[in-house]
Every structure is written in structure tokens, then in C-alpha cells.
């Protein structure tokens, strides 16, 4: 996607984010934010915010980024995600209320656009199945194609790139496949996943990008469990990893 297209999408996104912020309840008042309250938060005049929200004027790129940092906190994407994480008695959690929630996925895609706009991204890569909804939304926001790494080979595909790995503490071997021509040498790939637990799946995706001789643009995830997975990924120094919310790993029962 061109830099101009990215900038325009980012500026248009602020309109929707402002409209969402206007419907978001201010915890101090118990009522939706007013333009006056948003003005206090953003340091912009009420009239300017009103023109942005109504789509009469678009903010420039610098102001759009400034507004994003403030408004994304008010909309509370991280809070929305945490509220929907359901833990069982063993400390593990169910994320089905997250990966199927349109509003969360839409805001997460906006988050990815604001974060990675300006970086070269030509493909989004995710793993089936839970990563697909977020991957589809992010690829749409960035205006690039989505590549899905699957655990089975499709009959109609002639050749594949594949990566086999072992799930931690299980002894179970998994293999991910992508069509050989899905990622090319000139591509710059953003890896997207709903959750990073141990890092094995993400490392397999990184290795698929390397086997395609493409560039790794970054990694984006809704949730990360702990921090041990970082060392496993062994990413280039200039490769950003963006996670919306982090949770502690489950503690073993005594």
C-alpha cells in the first residue's frame, strides 16, 4: 500500500474513532464523553473536534497520530479485551468472546494501521484457525492480501512451503503449510495472530517468511502470555512486536 493511501486511511479512521469516543461512557460522570471533555483530553478546540467527527474536515497525519494516542485509550481496546478473557479453574483462558467480536477486531485493525502505517507491508500472514478473523481485518485495514498458514495441504495447490515444530511440553509435532507462491522474495510480511502463548507458532510463521526469502515487517497480536516467548522468536533488531494486552502465565496448582 502506498504511503499516501496509508495516510488517508489513518486520517479517515480518526473520524470513526471520535464517533466511538463520543459514545464511550466517561467513568467519572457515568455518561458518554462530551465534546468539551474530549477537548480537555486532546487539547483541541471543541469546534475542531466537531468538524472532524462530522467528517467536514480531516486532520493532517501528525494530528491524526496525536488523536489516536489519546482516543484509543478512551475507547479502551485493552480494557475490552481483558473484560472478555474468561479463565478456567486451572488458570487457562477462553478467547472465543474476543476473536468473534466485530468491534474489538475493527478497533484492533485500526490499532495495527496506526502502528504499522509508514512501514512497508505487502502481505499479512496468520495461522489457521483463530488468527484468521484478526488477520482478515488487519489485511483489509492495510489494503494488502492475507496469507493463511494451514495444518493441512490443499489438493489443488501444486507446491508448498512448510514448517514443522514441536509444541512445548507436549511432544506433539505440528506442521504449517502455505502455497509456495503466496509469499515472494520482494514481499514485506506482517505476522498477525490473536494470541502468543509459547511462541512456537509465531516462530514457525517467521521461518516460513525466511524460507520464502521475504522481509519480516513486524508481529502484531491481541494478547501475549508472559514474556518467555520473546527469546524464542529471535527477531531482527529492527522488527517491531506490538501486543495490545499482556497477561500472566497460568500458575501450576500446588
Amino acid at each position: 500500500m502506498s504511503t499516501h493511501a496509508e495516510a488517508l486511511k489513518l486520517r479517515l479512521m480518526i473520524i470513526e474513532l471520535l464517533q466511538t469516543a463520543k459514545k464511550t461512557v466517561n467513568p467519572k460522570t457515568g455518561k458518554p464523553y462530551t465534546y468539551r471533555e474530549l477537548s480537555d483530553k486532546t487539547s483541541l478546540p471543541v469546534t475542531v473536534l466537531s468538524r472532524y467527527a462530522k467528517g467536514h474536515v480531516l486532520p493532517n497525519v501528525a494530528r491524526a497520530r496525536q488523536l489516536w494516542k489519546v482516543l484509543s485509550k478512551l475507547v479502551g481496546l485493552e480494557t475490552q479485551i481483558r473484560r472478555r478473557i474468561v479463565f478456567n479453574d486451572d488458570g487457562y483462558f477462553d478467547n472465543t468472546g474476543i476473536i468473534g467480536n466485530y468491534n474489538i477486531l475493527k478497533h484492533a485493525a485500526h490499532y495495527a494501521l496506526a502502528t504499522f502505517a509508514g512501514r512497508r507491508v505487502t502481505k499479512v500472514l496468520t495461522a489457521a484457525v483463530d488468527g484468521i478473523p484478526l488477520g482478515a481485518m488487519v489485511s483489509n485495514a492495510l489494503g494488502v492480501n492475507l496469507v493463511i498458514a494451514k495444518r493441512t495441504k490443499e489438493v489443488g495447490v501444486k507446491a508448498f512451503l512448510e514448517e514443522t515444530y514441536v509444541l512445548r511440553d507436549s511432544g506433539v509435532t505440528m506442521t504449517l503449510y502455505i502455497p509456495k507462491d503466496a509469499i515472494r522474495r520482494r514481499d514485506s510480511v506482517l505476522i498477525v495472530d490473536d494470541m502468543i502463548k509459547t511462541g512456537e507458532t509465531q516462530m514457525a510463521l517467521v521461518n516460513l517468511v525466511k524460507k520464502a526469502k521475504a522481509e519480516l515487517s513486524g508481529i502484531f497480536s491481541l494478547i501475549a502470555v508472559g514474556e518467555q516467548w520473546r527469546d524464542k522468536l529471535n527477531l531482527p533488531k529492527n522488527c517491531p512486536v506490538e501486543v495490545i494486552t499482556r497477561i500472566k502465565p497460568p500458575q501450576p496448582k500446588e
Side-chain angles (χ1 to χ4, degrees), residues 83-116:
R83 190 182 299 143
R84 288 169 174 79
I85 296 176
V86 180
F87 291 89
N88 65 14
D89 293 338
D90 296 318
Y92 294 94
F93 65 89
D94 176 10
N95 68 339
T96 53
I98 298 170
I99 61 174
N101 188 294
Y102 173 76
N103 284 328
I104 286 180
L105 295 178
K106 178 180 66 174
H107 290 148
H110 288 170
Y111 190 106
L113 174 61
T115 302
F116 293 98

Side-chain angles (χ1 to χ4, degrees), residues 35 39 44-53:
Y35 278 122
S39 176
L44 293 176
V46 168
T47 53
V48 172
L49 293 175
S50 176
R51 289 200 295 268
Y52 288 163

Side-chain angles (χ1 to χ4, degrees), residues 90-91 248-253:
D90 296 318
K248 295 180 180 179
Q251 299 299 317
K253 288 187 175 182

Side-chain angles (χ1 to χ4, degrees), residues 9-251:
K9 280 196 172 187
L10 179 61
R11 294 166 68 197
L12 289 169
M13 181 183 71
I14 294 302
I15 296 175
E16 185 175 348
L17 198 58
L18 262 173
Q19 293 170 348
T20 302
K22 279 281 294 169
K23 299 174 184 177
T24 301
V25 173
N26 183 339
K28 292 183 179 180
T29 64
K31 298 179 181 180
Y33 281 100
T34 65
Y35 278 122
R36 175 59 60 191
E37 290 167 338
L38 292 175
S39 176
D40 292 339
K41 295 286 186 180
T42 61
S43 301
L44 293 176
V46 168
T47 53
V48 172
L49 293 175
S50 176
R51 289 200 295 268
Y52 288 163
K54 293 175 182 177
H56 294 165
V57 179
L58 287 178
N60 60 35
V61 174
R63 180 165 286 180
R65 292 185 184 279
Q66 173 193 345
L67 284 169
W68 166 258
K69 290 180 181 179
V70 176
L71 296 176
S72 61
K73 293 179 181 178
L74 296 183
V75 171
L77 178 58
E78 181 174 3
T79 301
Q80 292 182 52
I81 292 174
R82 284 186 172 275
R83 190 182 299 143
R84 288 169 174 79
I85 296 176
V86 180
F87 291 89
N88 65 14
D89 293 338
D90 296 318
Y92 294 94
F93 65 89
D94 176 10
N95 68 339
T96 53
I98 298 170
I99 61 174
N101 188 294
Y102 173 76
N103 284 328
I104 286 180
L105 295 178
K106 178 180 66 174
H107 290 148
H110 288 170
Y111 190 106
L113 174 61
T115 302
F116 293 98
R119 297 187 66 89
R120 183 172 177 268
V121 178
T122 63
K123 296 282 175 64
V124 167
L125 173 64
T126 192
V129 291
D130 284 356
I132 294 176
L134 178 62
M137 294 289 282
V138 172
S139 66
N140 178 67
L142 294 174
V144 299
N145 288 338
L146 173 66
V147 179
I148 301 171
K150 300 180 180 179
R151 296 178 182 176
T152 56
K153 291 182 177 181
E154 294 179 340
V155 177
V157 180
K158 293 182 179 180
F160 293 87
L161 293 177
E162 61 182 76
E163 179 66 18
T164 300
Y165 61 103
V166 178
L167 295 178
R168 190 178 71 178
D169 301 329
S170 69
V172 176
T173 299
M174 302 292 295
T175 302
L176 292 177
Y177 304 91
I178 61 171
K180 190 175 181 180
D181 295 333
I183 298 175
R184 298 180 179 274
R185 186 189 295 266
R186 63 179 178 273
D187 280 322
S188 185
V189 182
L190 175 64
I191 292 174
V192 173
D193 215 341
D194 64 305
M195 178 169 49
I196 304 175
K197 291 182 180 177
T198 60
E200 272 96 354
T201 299
Q202 291 72 35
M203 190 67 248
L205 295 174
V206 169
N207 287 338
L208 285 171
V209 174
K210 291 179 179 178
K211 287 182 176 181
K213 301 186 186 306
E215 176 187 42
L216 184 61
S217 181
I219 295 178
F220 176 64
S221 178
L222 295 179
I223 304 167
V225 181
E227 293 290 341
Q228 292 184 352
W229 51 269
R230 282 188 175 274
D231 294 334
K232 184 166 296 183
L233 292 183
N234 191 27
L235 300 172
K237 291 183 179 180
N238 63 342
C239 178
V241 177
E242 191 68 32
V243 176
I244 293 176
T245 187
R246 292 171 171 78
I247 63 173
K248 295 180 180 179
Q251 299 299 317

